[in-house]
Amino acid sequence: MKFFIDTANLAQIKEVNDLGILDGVTTNPTLMAKEGIKGEAAIMNHYKTIAEMVKGDVSAEVISTDFDGMIAEGKKFAAIRPNIVVKVPMIKEGVRALKWFSDNGIRTNCTLVFSAGQAILAAKAGANYVSPFIGRIDDANWDGVQLIEQIANIYAIQGYETEILAASIRSPLHIVKCAEAGADVCTCPLEPILGLLKHPLTDIGLAKFLADAKSEK
Ligand code: G3P
């Protein structure tokens, strides 16, 4: 399973990239606004900076909701760098745009996916990634991880090549469960990624090794 970081914060991207385990970055308009990035020029420049920092794919989300607007935005994003992937919402015009991008060699990530039916549509339209939002599904009292499992099963049966990018990750356990459920990619904020490191027995064991190493001298 690939690891993407879900942020537009450059320091956080660098922190995980420096560990050598980062495969890509996802952003969305909320994450860009959180970093105070506003206006087309600043947004384009920020995507360029991120895409130059990392080797893997960087998702840049369109804010148009009509076909022509999505295509115009997506073309501009795709021209920034070859590792930019155009993020398109799962709406009717979005499906049309996904197909157009697919037919024209522009890679895409279909976002705001909350059901297996939507994931089938995204795959049929040729999306490279599909992003089910598992945390938000859990918030609504359904089971987000179960959706990942269902989509993975359908894609395997049908031979769809779209990669399942589990999004809206809230905890280290979500990451483990997504790996078990067959996600191809997990995009996470910094905290759940670093949370994977934690185990009290590791801390206790290391403290003992270090203490014993000292006493041997
Ligand atoms: O990648 C989608 C993600 O940013 C949404 O996360 O926590 O706002 O549901 P969240």
Side-chain angles (χ1 to χ4, degrees), residues 84-131:
I84 294 268
V85 170
V86 182
K87 209 169 171 189
V88 177
M90 173 37 76
I91 55 175
K92 201 170 171 189
E93 292 286 278
V95 171
R96 213 179 133 208
L98 287 168
K99 182 71 172 83
W100 189 92
F101 286 128
S102 167
D103 289 345
N104 287 275
I106 292 178
R107 292 180 310 127
T108 53
N109 172 1
C110 179
T111 191
L112 289 167
V113 166
F114 295 92
S115 74
Q118 291 178 323
I120 290 172
L121 263 184
K124 285 293 290 176
N128 297 83
Y129 297 99
V130 65
S131 289

Side-chain angles (χ1 to χ4, degrees), residues 3 5 12 15-16 19 21 171-172 175 188-199:
F3 269 43
I5 188 165
Q12 293 188 1
E15 186 172 340
V16 182
L19 289 177
I21 59 158
S171 67
I175 300 175
C188 328
L190 179 64
E191 297 75 19
I193 297 175
L194 297 181
L196 290 173
L197 283 166
K198 288 185 195 154
H199 200 290

Side-chain angles (χ1 to χ4, degrees), residues 40-139:
E40 191 184 332
I43 289 172
M44 297 295 274
N45 194 46
H46 202 69
Y47 282 136
K48 184 168 179 281
T49 304
I50 296 173
E52 283 170 355
M53 278 173 80
V54 300
K55 276 204 198 120
D57 288 342
V58 175
S59 289
E61 185 159 346
V62 299
I63 49 169
S64 302
T65 52
D66 64 299
F67 176 78
D68 291 337
M70 287 187 216
I71 300 304
E73 273 188 78
K75 278 182 182 171
K76 282 189 204 163
F77 286 151
I80 297 175
R81 266 183 85 87
N83 58 336
I84 294 268
V85 170
V86 182
K87 209 169 171 189
V88 177
M90 173 37 76
I91 55 175
K92 201 170 171 189
E93 292 286 278
V95 171
R96 213 179 133 208
L98 287 168
K99 182 71 172 83
W100 189 92
F101 286 128
S102 167
D103 289 345
N104 287 275
I106 292 178
R107 292 180 310 127
T108 53
N109 172 1
C110 179
T111 191
L112 289 167
V113 166
F114 295 92
S115 74
Q118 291 178 323
I120 290 172
L121 263 184
K124 285 293 290 176
N128 297 83
Y129 297 99
V130 65
S131 289
F133 277 29
I134 72 163
R136 293 192 195 181
I137 292 174
D138 288 357
D139 291 344

Side-chain angles (χ1 to χ4, degrees), residues 6 26 28 31 87 111 133 135-136 167-170 187:
D6 194 30
T26 51
N28 62 39
L31 295 172
K87 209 169 171 189
T111 191
F133 277 29
R136 293 192 195 181
S168 184
I169 299 290
R170 305 278 168 76
T187 189

